[in-house]
Amino acid sequence: MINLSLSTGVFPNAFKHAIVEPLLKKSNLDPSVFQNYRPISKLPFISKILEKVVAEQLSEFLDKRSIYDTFQSGFRKHHSTETALLKVSSDILMSADSGRHTVLVLLDLSSAFDTVDHQILLDRLRDLIGLSGSVLHWFSSYLSGRNFSVMANHKMSQSADLLCGVPQGSVLGPVLFLLYMIPLGKIIQDFSDVSYHLFADDIQLYCSFKPSETHKLDSLMNCLMQIKQWLCKNSLQLNSEKTETLVVAPDDAIPGIKQHLGSLCQDVKPSLRNLGVIFDKDMSLEQHSKQLIRNCFFQLRNISKLRKMVSYEDLELLIHAFVSTRLDYCNSLFSCMNKKELSRLQLIQNSAARILTRTKRRDHISPILKALHWLPVAYRYQYKILVLTFRALHSQAPPYVCDLIAPYRPSRALRSADQNLLMVPRTRFRTRGDRSFQAVAPKLWNELPLLLRSLDSVNSFKSQLKTFYFCK
């Protein structure tokens, strides 16, 4: 069936009907307000098998020809929100270290996946990607003739046609959306003073400049205008209410910078949530730490009420699901935090360990963590940075992460030439450049034993690295 579909260039009509179930985004929201619901689209299981076959072939084709936008991190192998934020935060910190200010703008699109124009997408597949013949016809068949019904309170609505958008809940939908967005990156690249990063439909623009170069913000504003025009032409809408701006600069410089931001001036905030991590004007992640602590202790209080009702194994699963995952999310950025914030985060892990093992508060925590085989918070983020560094050195990380590190090459013949060391960039400030991935990763890497630096398997490296930290 799959081979017949691919050879004829026809996607079966039986696979095109979706059942949409509206679910409340949060339990405490008003169920009478439609905006509080998230539509969950369900497609036939067999259709996803067919899509997966096509998606694997298409992704291989795109990777070989380097068609994806380099700074697009959504739905791509080896890419994640963490690698995206690591790149942006490292750029901002290194700019601050050299005395430059940065303006970061987050743009949000309204229902971007649902408003994709089918004809524009097909033209893009033909002209930009190079698809033709039965392959292009298959994608045309895939997009056309789709419909959906809404299921609520065990009742089904009549079906309605889907005339635009990539299929929600599909395997191919995210890939097609990334291809639809490719021209946007090329537009931004025309502005040399503006850097950017994309994660699916989340757009980050940032412009770094010396105090005497505020005129570069004109380039940022012109870039934003071009983006709005492109979005309008491509049936995408910018949600201006969710546009946020962060100025990373000393307090006395911020008022002057805001004067050059035009309509963005009203969107400037002291901190903002960027892909789940709260950035502040000092890039210290202090606000993120406070929010993380509140969330984790809230979860721990609820879990502690259950420890007499569940087994040890289930209790451990609950702690990992609701606490450890929060502590580990994008924790490679924790190098931005000071020792005080890291010690406060360590209290979360300590409390989780005591709840699980039912030990007293006065009992020494280090043996407990070691018995549980839990690395302390500080070692956990260093572990994450080093694994990502290893992947970057072995071409298993995004190119923009690989570009942040470079092998150490002495100017003359030295014994250190074959030690697999990395070059440590020169920085000026401990609270700026020293905390960037670009500086932290080489320092941590060079402190590892040669045996660890010489490994060629990521699984062996992760295993031996964890053992190394437990023995410290």
Side-chain angles (χ1 to χ4, degrees):
M1 180 181 65
I2 292 175
N3 289 338
L4 181 62
S5 172
L6 297 178
S7 61
T8 58
V10 176
F11 189 82
N13 289 329
F15 295 168
K16 297 181 180 181
H17 182 74
I19 297 176
V20 178
E21 292 188 23
L23 296 178
L24 270 177
K25 295 178 180 179
K26 294 182 180 179
S27 59
N28 59 347
L29 294 177
D30 185 355
S32 64
V33 179
F34 291 153
Q35 288 82 356
N36 292 340
Y37 287 89
R38 179 177 286 110
I40 305 300
S41 178
K42 297 181 179 180
L43 292 167
F45 175 73
I46 300 179
S47 72
K48 294 188 178 183
I49 297 177
L50 172 56
E51 287 188 55
K52 188 171 180 61
V53 172
V54 175
E56 288 180 352
Q57 296 182 21
L58 179 61
S59 295
E60 183 180 357
F61 173 84
L62 297 171
D63 287 333
K64 282 184 178 180
R65 288 159 178 78
S66 301
I67 292 175
Y68 282 124
D69 190 317
T70 303
F71 299 109
Q72 172 62 267
S73 294
F75 311 112
R76 297 181 61 189
K77 187 177 181 181
H78 300 314
H79 294 63
S80 65
T81 55
E82 186 160 23
T83 59
L85 293 176
L86 209 58
K87 165 63 176 172
V88 174
S89 64
S90 188
D91 286 350
I92 294 175
L93 286 167
M94 291 301 287
S95 294
D97 191 77
S98 61
R100 289 178 289 172
H101 307 327
T102 300
V103 173
L104 170 66
V105 183
L106 304 187
L107 304 178
D108 181 77
L109 304 184
S110 299
S111 304
F113 284 69
D114 297 328
T115 58
V116 169
D117 186 289
H118 289 172
Q119 190 54 54
I120 294 177
L121 176 56
L122 291 171
D123 291 343
R124 210 147 280 166
L125 292 176
R126 182 190 65 223
D127 301 333
L128 288 182
I129 314 305
L131 304 186
S132 60
S134 61
V135 177
L136 186 62
H137 191 270
W138 188 93
F139 281 101
S140 177
S141 174
Y142 172 79
L143 293 170
S144 63
R146 287 191 169 270
N147 51 69
F148 73 99
S149 300
V150 177
M151 171 75 78
N153 297 324
H154 306 289
K155 294 182 180 180
M156 182 88 72
S157 72
Q158 292 183 347
S159 63
D161 294 333
L162 281 169
L163 303 178
C164 61
V166 293
Q168 294 281 12
S170 64
V171 177
L172 271 173
V175 180
L176 294 176
F177 182 79
L178 298 189
L179 300 180
Y180 192 79
M181 295 285 285
I182 284 178
L184 179 60
K186 295 179 179 179
I187 289 174
I188 303 174
Q189 289 169 16
D190 290 337
F191 298 87
S192 58
D193 295 327
V194 179
S195 301
Y196 73 100
H197 211 102
L198 309 173
F199 191 88
D201 59 339
D202 290 310
I203 305 169
Q204 302 182 52
L205 303 175
Y206 53 106
C207 176
S208 298
F209 52 92
K210 294 180 180 178
S212 60
E213 298 176 334
T214 51
H215 62 274
K216 288 186 176 182
L217 292 174
D218 294 337
S219 182
L220 176 65
M221 301 306 295
N222 291 332
C223 177
L224 186 58
M225 183 177 65
Q226 292 286 327
I227 289 174
K228 290 179 179 179
Q229 292 175 359
W230 183 86
L231 292 174
C232 184
K233 290 179 181 178
N234 287 269
S235 302
L236 298 172
Q237 184 177 2
L238 190 66
N239 188 344
S240 57
E241 294 182 357
K242 291 188 177 181
T243 297
E244 296 181 303
T245 305
L246 178 70
V247 179
V248 182
D251 290 337
D252 57 351
I254 293 178
I257 294 172
K258 290 171 69 174
Q259 293 177 6
H260 294 80
L261 293 179
S263 59
L264 290 178
C265 180
Q266 60 186 2
D267 301 320
V268 173
K269 297 184 177 181
S271 63
L272 49 77
R273 184 177 293 275
N274 188 2
L275 298 179
V277 176
I278 301 175
F279 281 14
D280 52 57
K281 62 182 179 60
D282 300 317
M283 291 302 292
S284 64
L285 299 192
E286 183 178 346
Q287 294 301 316
H288 179 73
S289 173
K290 290 179 179 178
Q291 183 66 44
L292 182 58
I293 290 168
R294 281 195 296 268
N295 290 342
C296 287
F297 275 121
F298 171 78
Q299 299 296 337
L300 284 175
R301 282 193 293 271
N302 290 335
I303 291 173
S304 65
K305 297 174 185 177
L306 299 173
R307 68 178 168 184
K308 292 183 180 180
M309 309 177 197
V310 298
S311 65
Y312 177 91
E313 291 75 15
D314 291 339
L315 188 62
E316 186 174 20
L317 283 175
L318 287 171
I319 289 173
H320 287 318
F322 291 98
V323 179
S324 299
T325 52
R326 284 179 165 85
L327 276 177
D328 289 341
Y329 177 71
C330 290
N331 63 339
S332 59
L333 275 70
F334 288 4
S335 60
C336 297
M337 294 183 183
N338 57 37
K339 291 182 179 180
K340 178 182 177 181
E341 296 303 325
L342 288 173
S343 64
R344 293 177 68 196
L345 293 179
Q346 184 59 51
L347 292 177
I348 299 172
Q349 191 185 51
N350 294 352
S351 299
R354 295 187 194 283
I355 290 173
L356 180 60
T357 58
R358 303 190 181 191
T359 51
K360 299 177 182 179
R361 290 185 62 182
R362 293 186 178 181
D363 292 342
H364 192 48
I365 195 64
S366 296
I368 299 172
L369 295 178
K370 193 167 185 178
L372 291 171
H373 214 60
W374 292 3
L375 284 176
V377 171
Y379 285 166
R380 289 175 89 89
Y381 88 75
Q382 293 177 17
Y383 174 88
K384 180 78 75 67
I385 288 175
L386 285 169
V387 170
L388 187 55
T389 303
F390 181 91
R391 289 186 180 279
L393 292 172
H394 293 79
S395 302
Q396 298 176 20
Y400 57 77
V401 173
C402 298
D403 292 341
L404 294 177
I405 57 177
Y408 170 70
R409 292 188 176 90
S411 56
R412 51 196 176 89
L414 298 172
R415 284 186 297 176
S416 59
D418 58 352
Q419 296 292 303
N420 295 333
L421 298 173
L422 295 178
M423 186 171 64
V424 180
R426 291 184 178 180
T427 55
R428 298 166 58 197
F429 299 99
R430 294 177 61 185
T431 58
R432 299 178 189 175
D434 277 2
R435 293 182 176 182
S436 68
F437 175 83
Q438 198 169 343
V440 172
K443 290 177 182 177
L444 291 176
W445 179 265
N446 293 347
E447 291 172 359
L448 293 178
L450 178 60
L451 177 64
L452 272 174
R453 298 198 301 267
S454 303
L455 293 172
D456 55 7
S457 165
V458 66
N459 290 330
S460 297
F461 179 79
K462 290 165 73 173
S463 176
Q464 294 191 38
L465 179 61
K466 196 169 186 179
T467 302
F468 169 76
Y469 273 122
F470 273 119
C471 293
K472 286 187 75 171

